[in-house]
């Protein structure tokens, strides 16, 4: 039946959309974790006196860094991560809307196939 092939294709699209949403949610969770870590770093840095010595780990080496520069880097990271979380949130919403529409499409095809099968059964009786 041609409708069954269409249903299978639409079901594959639905599954791929769900997988994409899962990946997106995983990425968003990682970013939320990074944001939390950076906010904790910001709190710790706010407690430092202005003349404190701050070191930055670059590879296996600790390099001295200006306190103000280190704070600015943390603020920039927080801003970037926050913007990325917001972008992923919007993408998540859009993808969820696509999934709902695709689910309705699949359900409609399933109902259509079932009604055709019922009609064939009634004709055979």
């Amino acid at each position: 039946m041609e409708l069954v092939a269409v249903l299978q294709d639409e079901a594959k699209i639905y599954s791929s959309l769900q997988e994409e949403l899962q990946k997106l949610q995983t990425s968003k969770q990682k970013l939320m974790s990074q944001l939390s870590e950076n906010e904790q770093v910001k709190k710790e840095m706010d407690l430092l006196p202005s003349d404190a010595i701050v070191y930055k780990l670059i590879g296996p080496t600790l390099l001295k860094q200006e306190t103000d520069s280190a704070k600015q880097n943390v603020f920039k990271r927080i801003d970037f991560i926050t913007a990325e979380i917001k972008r992923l949130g919007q993408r998540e919403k859009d993808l969820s809307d696509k999934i709902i529409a695709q689910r309705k499409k699949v359900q409609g095809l399933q109902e259509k196939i079932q009604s055709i099968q019922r009609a064939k059964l009634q004709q055979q009786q």
Side-chain angles (χ1 to χ4, degrees), residues 61-121:
T61 310
L62 283 176
L63 297 176
K64 205 180 230 185
Q65 188 176 26
E66 298 276 332
T67 306
D68 290 338
S69 174
K71 286 181 180 181
Q72 286 299 326
N73 287 340
V74 172
F75 290 137
K76 287 177 186 176
R77 272 197 310 266
I78 289 173
D79 288 344
F80 173 78
I81 293 169
T82 302
E84 193 65 14
I85 289 171
K86 184 176 179 182
R87 186 186 70 77
L88 288 180
Q90 183 58 47
R91 191 154 174 244
E92 184 178 21
K93 181 189 175 304
D94 295 343
L95 197 53
S96 292
D97 292 344
K98 281 183 181 180
I99 287 172
I100 290 168
Q102 189 66 25
R103 182 185 314 132
K104 287 179 182 178
K105 200 173 190 181
V106 168
Q107 288 172 340
L109 285 168
Q110 288 172 333
E111 290 170 3
K112 194 171 188 177
I113 290 170
Q114 288 172 352
S115 67
I116 290 171
Q117 289 173 341
R118 274 189 239 115
K120 284 183 180 182
L121 283 175

Side-chain angles (χ1 to χ4, degrees), residues 16-83:
S16 69
L17 287 172
Q18 284 184 314
E19 288 175 18
E20 187 178 342
L21 180 62
Q22 184 66 36
K23 289 178 185 176
L24 191 89
Q25 289 170 335
T26 301
S27 296
K28 189 176 173 185
Q29 286 173 345
K30 287 179 185 176
L31 285 172
M32 296 292 280
S33 176
Q34 289 176 2
L35 180 62
S36 177
E37 290 172 10
N38 279 280
E39 286 175 341
Q40 186 62 38
V41 169
K42 179 186 173 289
K43 286 178 187 175
E44 293 292 326
M45 292 189 87
D46 286 342
L47 298 175
L48 292 175
S50 59
D51 61 342
I53 299 173
V54 176
Y55 293 92
K56 181 176 184 175
L57 182 65
I58 299 180
T61 310
L62 283 176
L63 297 176
K64 205 180 230 185
Q65 188 176 26
E66 298 276 332
T67 306
D68 290 338
S69 174
K71 286 181 180 181
Q72 286 299 326
N73 287 340
V74 172
F75 290 137
K76 287 177 186 176
R77 272 197 310 266
I78 289 173
D79 288 344
F80 173 78
I81 293 169
T82 302

